[in-house]
């Protein structure tokens, strides 16, 4: 008997019929002798609906009090789906009980709308499991030291599931979603993208941070820190699929770097379209100039990605960095109002909101030379100019014009042999199963 955490996304919980299928699937695992904890998201679209209602009422500038109430409001979406799933399980003859995050409790800091988990008390969960019940815990939410409801930000249910799995020392955390695993790249861009049978946590963390939408990056960080085995699989397979087959399906995110994984120089290609490049031109090439520019940006709670400082010419240099396009207006305001006045005459701002970032990721890059040059040569053959480059031990990222992103991804996918490798499994269509 194993202790398993199931996490179901909003699409998987999107209708009462889908909730009923989730209940049947969970009950199947329990009948096989496993203890199961379920962490569901709100029903698809529900969080957006609730926040849209608030947007009709709230002031233009959100106060701390308003953010508190937004968390109290948004948390009700998961509360509803958890209660509905408990009802569906009981209708299947399976004892079940639902808990909100604060009933467990899941303790967080007080950063409303983006709280971070500080601790989870697993005692109450274990008591209910010992009584033969399925325990359902609302994802995405917790309670701070003052007793206020908090939420973890978009995608926070993944993080909740992994954190709960760590707290109760679960044998595995299964992330059920609307895709059947982690692919070499987005199948909507490359139709013959392949599903990976396994991927390392290190690779998954890079892919999540570079634009892959399968798992929320904080959940991968949590899994790596507490060594929680993760598997990504589809909730749209028939609920009565053979349990052994289901347990082996999807993509296993593992700590092991086996021989097959070493043979894959590049395991996946990630990309983001919502990037913007900021260039501060003609700045003094002196110690501390990077902090002078990026310090105020960090103080505004804006994340910076790729950074380049050009060679000095006559004591002046150009400093460029990328940010999320959603932060573009705020960055420009900070640079114009706070940074440029400190840099003296001649410094100016240049920007470009029509860029994208494309990244190749693979454990095999540690032990293979020439990977970056293959990437650059492939893009060159397609006439794609590289504006910025960023590297780590297992990834290389380039910033290019947004209009070339799909061409770049397709070309690189082919260049690195990802159209069909021996260590991956070609997914079958639903009508072939």
């Amino acid at each position: 008997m194993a202790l398993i955490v199931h996490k179901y996304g909003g699409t998987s919980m999107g209708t009462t019929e889908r909730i009923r299928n989730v209940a049947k699937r969970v009950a199947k695992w329990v009948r096989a002798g496993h203890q199961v904890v379920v962490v569901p998201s709100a029903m698809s679209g529900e969080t957006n609906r609730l926040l849209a209602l608030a947007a009709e009422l709230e002031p233009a500038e959100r106060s701390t009090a308003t953010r508190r109430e937004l968390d109290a409001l948004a948390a009700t979406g998961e509360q509803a789906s958890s209660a509905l799933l408990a009802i569906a399980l009981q209708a299947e003859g399976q004892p079940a009980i639902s808990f909100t995050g604060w009933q467990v409790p899941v303790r967080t800091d007080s950063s409303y709308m983006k709280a971070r988990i500080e601790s989870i008390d697993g005692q109450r969960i274990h008591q209910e499991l010992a009584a033969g019940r399925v325990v359902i815990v609302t994802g995405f939410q917790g309670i701070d030291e003052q007793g206020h409801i908090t939420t973890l930000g978009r995608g926070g249910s993944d993080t909740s599931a992994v954190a709960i799995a760590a707290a109760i020392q679960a044998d595995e955390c299964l992330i059920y979603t609307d895709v059947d695993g982690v692919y070499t790249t987005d199948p909507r861009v490359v139709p013959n993208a392949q599903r990976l049978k396994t991927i390392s946590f290190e690779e998954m963390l890079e892919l999540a941070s570079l634009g892959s939408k399968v798992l929320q990056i904080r959940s991968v960080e949590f899994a790596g820190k507490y060594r929680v085995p993760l598997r990504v699989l589809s909730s749209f397979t028939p609920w009565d699929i053979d349990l052994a087959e289901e347990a082996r399906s999807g993509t296993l995110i593992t700590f092991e770097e086996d021989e097959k994984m070493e043979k894959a120089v590049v395991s996946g290609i990630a990309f983001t379209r919502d990037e913007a490049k900021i260039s501060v031109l003609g700045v003094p090439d002196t110690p501390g100039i990077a902090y002078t520019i990026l310090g105020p940006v960090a103080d505004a709670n804006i994340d910076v990605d790729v950074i380049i400082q050009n060679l000095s010419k006559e004591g002046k240099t150009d400093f460029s960095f990328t940010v999320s396009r959603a932060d573009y207006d705020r960055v420009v305001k900070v640079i114009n109002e706070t940074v440029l006045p400190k840099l003296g005459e001649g410094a100016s701002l240049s920007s470009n909101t029509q860029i994208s970032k494309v990244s190749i990721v693979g454990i095999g890059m540690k032990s293979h030379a020439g990977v970056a040059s293959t990437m650059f040569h492939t893009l060159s053959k397609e006439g794609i100019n590289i504006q910025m480059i960023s590297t780590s031990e297992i990834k290389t990222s380039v910033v290019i014009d947004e209009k070339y992103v799909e061409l770049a991804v397709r070309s690189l996918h082919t260049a690195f042999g990802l159209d069909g490798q021996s260590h991956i499994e070609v997914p079958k269509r639903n009508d072939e199963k």
Side-chain angles (χ1 to χ4, degrees), residues 94-152:
Q94 172 58 53
I97 187 170
S98 67
F99 291 133
T100 60
W102 52 94
Q103 288 176 311
V104 173
V106 177
R107 299 285 183 186
T108 75
D109 63 19
S110 299
S111 301
Y112 297 121
M113 304 178 72
K114 55 178 180 180
R116 301 190 73 85
I117 295 173
E118 294 183 341
S119 67
I120 298 176
D121 186 346
Q123 181 178 359
R124 195 170 186 184
I125 294 174
H126 280 296
Q127 288 173 347
E128 296 296 340
L129 290 171
R133 297 185 181 91
V134 170
V135 179
I136 305 161
V137 182
T138 52
F140 176 63
Q141 62 193 250
I143 187 170
D144 70 5
E145 192 175 42
Q146 290 74 43
H148 302 308
I149 296 170
T150 59
T151 66
L152 309 183

Side-chain angles (χ1 to χ4, degrees), residues 295-310:
V297 175
D299 291 341
N301 200 27
I302 297 170
D303 291 328
V304 172
D305 189 11
V306 184
I307 303 171
I308 289 180
Q309 183 172 337
N310 294 334

Side-chain angles (χ1 to χ4, degrees), residues 312-380:
S312 176
K313 184 177 181 181
E314 298 179 353
K316 298 286 186 179
T317 187
D318 298 334
F319 191 94
S320 300
F321 58 94
T322 64
V323 296
S324 167
R325 204 172 294 171
D327 291 324
Y328 171 76
D329 290 336
R330 294 171 60 214
V331 171
V332 169
K333 182 178 181 181
V334 169
I335 297 297
N336 282 327
E337 295 181 0
T338 306
V339 176
L340 289 182
K342 298 178 181 178
L343 298 178
E345 189 175 350
S348 62
L349 171 66
S350 176
S351 62
N352 182 358
T353 60
Q354 303 301 312
I355 63 166
S356 291
K357 181 176 66 178
V358 178
S359 308
I360 57 173
V361 175
I363 286 286
M365 293 172 66
K366 292 181 179 180
S367 55
H368 291 78
V371 178
S373 63
T374 299
M375 181 185 197
F376 303 153
H377 179 61
T378 300
L379 297 177
S380 174

Side-chain angles (χ1 to χ4, degrees), residues 183-316:
Y183 278 72
T184 49
T185 195
D186 189 338
R188 292 170 296 184
V189 174
V190 181
N192 59 343
Q194 308 293 300
R195 176 164 58 84
L196 296 159
K197 293 177 67 176
T198 61
I199 188 171
S200 73
F201 274 94
E202 194 175 359
E203 289 171 315
M204 191 66 242
L205 185 60
E206 288 282 12
L207 288 172
S209 68
L210 294 168
S212 173
K213 305 298 184 185
V214 176
L215 282 176
Q216 204 256 3
I217 184 171
R218 285 167 62 189
S219 69
V220 184
E221 291 173 342
F222 230 111
K225 181 177 180 180
Y226 294 100
R227 299 187 71 82
V228 177
L230 281 181
R231 185 178 294 274
V232 178
L233 62 171
S234 174
S235 63
F236 293 122
T237 55
W239 69 267
D240 56 354
I241 183 175
D242 180 73
L243 190 64
E245 179 183 350
E246 183 172 6
R248 295 191 302 267
S249 65
T251 300
L252 176 64
I253 303 167
T254 177
F255 297 99
E256 305 299 327
E257 297 176 17
D258 61 28
E259 292 181 2
K260 290 182 179 181
M261 292 170 68
E262 280 295 320
K263 292 178 182 177
V265 178
V266 171
S267 294
I269 299 173
F271 61 93
T272 55
R273 302 178 189 270
D274 59 344
E275 301 278 321
K277 183 171 74 171
I278 304 294
S279 297
V280 186
L281 311 176
V283 303
D285 189 11
T286 57
I289 194 63
Y291 176 73
T292 300
I293 296 171
L294 295 182
V297 175
D299 291 341
N301 200 27
I302 297 170
D303 291 328
V304 172
D305 189 11
V306 184
I307 303 171
I308 289 180
Q309 183 172 337
N310 294 334
L311 290 174
S312 176
K313 184 177 181 181
E314 298 179 353
K316 298 286 186 179

Side-chain angles (χ1 to χ4, degrees), residues 5-19:
V5 172
H6 285 207
K7 187 270 174 179
Y8 292 91
T11 305
S12 306
M13 300 288 293
T15 64
T16 53
E17 183 59 32
R18 290 179 179 177
I19 292 173

